Amino acid sequence: MNRVGLVLSGGGARGFAHVGIIKILNELKVKPVCISGCSMGAIIGVLYCLGHDGKNIEKMINELTLKNILRISFSHGGNGSRIETYLNKLFENKNFEDLEIPLYINAVDIESSEEIIFDRGNLAKAVRASIAIPGMFKPAIINNRFLVDGGVKNNIPLQVLLDQKIDKIITVNAGPNKIADSVLETASDEENKRKLPHLSKVLIKSLLIMQSNEHMINYSKDNSDLFIVPDLKTYTLIDFVKHRAIIKIGEKEARKNKKRIERIFKHGKVRTFLNKSVPVKNPINKNKMTLLFNALKGDDFYNSRR
């Protein structure tokens, strides 16, 4: 048997597709030796590494109503205290050290632009940082660092598994898989009559653009034995009520690759990865990101949404 790692990307509600992937792993009776997760991928990764199978995780998600999701997510002006309490309950107050499978969760330090990897300590705190979408939640403060959603810099946390020197890697990308086409536009002094979108929508869209970084996606494809991309073009980051359909899409895509997954776990020559020593490039300018998120740290922005 090969030692296989599993990468679960971010993607908001689209990340429910990871549950479908896990259901197929359960059918094949195979398990990865380690997992990395970003944002929603971190949540699903924790539940799987705690010992829940795909069907049980799906049941847990089905019991969450839209009303509960919104109440948990946006309570108290986005300060994250209620969601951290909820996550501790969901994860049974467990720590990384309690997991059946080693797990790595990423977040981003908004002041240094560093990618931070969690692999020990309280699970809820790590996930709370990894899902801190700018504009929705205040940054998580851990060890005097201001941390936000890992997808701001690296939506596909592959490198940490490459560093583990395991035999093979399966990556699931539930985030955007393509950069939007460029459009040539002529500058004009004419006043634009369009109504500005809500700031939260602007920030979410900005996050999606960051997640679709072409270098990051190509790097992940080149350094994975199997790169799974569920067909989620018609689903958005906030389509939580469509979780059943999204899980089915993930399961369908994994089923199409079922034989390849089985071969990766049980057969075949161990692959030499192309760029093991090459880190994922920072998809956005460090200074620009620091300036942007310094503006989001204060209470004024979050309180203005209430």
Side-chain angles (χ1 to χ4, degrees):
M1 290 283 286
N2 286 321
R3 298 167 62 250
V4 180
L6 178 65
V7 182
L8 302 178
S9 78
R14 293 161 56 111
F16 288 138
H18 296 317
V19 181
I21 309 295
I22 290 170
K23 290 174 73 174
I24 298 304
L25 295 182
N26 296 151
E27 280 187 21
L28 290 170
K29 295 181 170 55
V30 294
K31 275 190 176 183
V33 296
C34 57
I35 294 175
S36 64
C38 173
S39 199
M40 181 61 79
I43 295 176
I44 304 302
V46 169
L47 294 174
Y48 183 41
C49 293
L50 279 171
H52 297 286
D53 62 20
K55 289 182 179 179
N56 193 23
I57 297 172
E58 183 175 22
K59 181 181 177 183
M60 295 164 77
I61 291 169
N62 288 341
E63 290 172 353
L64 266 181
T65 65
L66 177 61
K67 182 179 179 181
N68 286 336
I69 290 170
L70 293 175
R71 177 176 58 81
I72 293 165
S73 299
F74 300 106
S75 61
H76 303 296
N79 67 13
S81 60
R82 183 170 289 188
I83 195 165
E84 187 173 323
T85 299
Y86 170 78
L87 289 170
N88 259 316
K89 182 178 178 182
L90 185 66
F91 302 154
E92 303 170 1
N93 293 301
K94 295 291 181 66
N95 295 326
F96 280 87
E97 293 80 359
D98 301 313
L99 297 174
E100 295 181 7
I101 301 171
L103 175 67
Y104 304 91
I105 292 174
N106 75 336
V108 176
D109 183 321
I110 62 174
E111 294 183 308
S112 68
S113 83
E114 292 176 276
E115 181 183 18
I116 305 301
I117 303 295
F118 293 98
D119 66 350
R120 64 196 70 183
N122 182 261
L123 289 164
K125 286 187 179 298
V127 171
R128 153 77 177 96
S130 189
I131 66 172
I133 299 173
M136 283 191 177
F137 302 112
K138 287 184 178 179
I141 304 175
I142 299 177
N143 296 331
N144 292 316
R145 290 179 180 265
F146 291 96
L147 304 179
V148 296
D149 192 302
V152 166
K153 182 171 184 179
N154 183 15
N155 197 47
I156 308 172
L158 169 70
Q159 187 64 46
V160 66
L161 294 196
L162 292 175
D163 293 341
Q164 305 310 308
K165 312 293 185 187
I166 53 181
D167 299 331
K168 292 178 179 285
I169 293 178
I170 295 172
T171 298
V172 186
N173 183 22
N177 197 46
K178 182 181 178 181
I179 295 178
D181 294 333
S182 297
V183 177
L184 293 175
E185 188 64 86
T186 302
S188 171
D189 290 332
E190 183 181 348
E191 185 180 356
N192 195 329
K193 303 297 184 183
R194 289 188 64 193
K195 184 180 178 181
L196 283 170
H198 192 281
L199 184 54
S200 293
K201 290 183 180 179
V202 173
L203 288 166
I204 290 172
K205 184 64 176 177
S206 300
L207 180 62
L208 290 173
I209 292 170
M210 294 175 193
Q211 290 178 351
S212 65
N213 177 266
E214 189 173 17
H215 173 85
M216 176 182 67
I217 293 170
N218 289 338
Y219 178 87
S220 300
K221 286 180 182 177
D222 291 343
N223 288 280
S224 300
D225 291 275
L226 178 60
F227 191 77
I228 298 175
V229 184
D231 186 6
L232 298 166
K233 291 189 291 290
T234 60
Y235 296 91
T236 71
L237 181 145
I238 57 174
D239 274 336
F240 294 104
V241 292
K242 300 177 182 178
H243 51 85
R244 288 182 174 86
I246 293 171
I247 290 172
K248 284 182 180 178
I249 289 170
E251 186 174 354
K252 179 182 178 181
E253 194 63 36
R255 197 171 295 282
K256 280 166 50 178
N257 289 280
K258 191 173 180 178
K259 288 184 178 179
R260 290 186 66 189
I261 294 171
E262 188 170 27
R263 284 198 300 270
I264 284 171
F265 273 90
K266 297 183 178 179
H267 309 289
K269 184 179 177 181
V270 175
R271 183 175 181 273
T272 301
F273 292 105
L274 299 179
N275 298 308
K276 271 191 174 178
S277 61
V278 181
V280 177
K281 291 180 181 177
N282 187 358
I284 55 178
N285 181 276
K286 173 180 173 180
N287 293 330
K288 288 183 179 179
M289 187 178 83
T290 301
L291 287 171
L292 170 64
F293 291 114
N294 276 345
L296 298 181
K297 286 193 302 187
D299 292 335
D300 291 345
F301 168 75
Y302 293 89
N303 290 337
S304 70
R305 298 189 296 108
R306 300 176 71 178

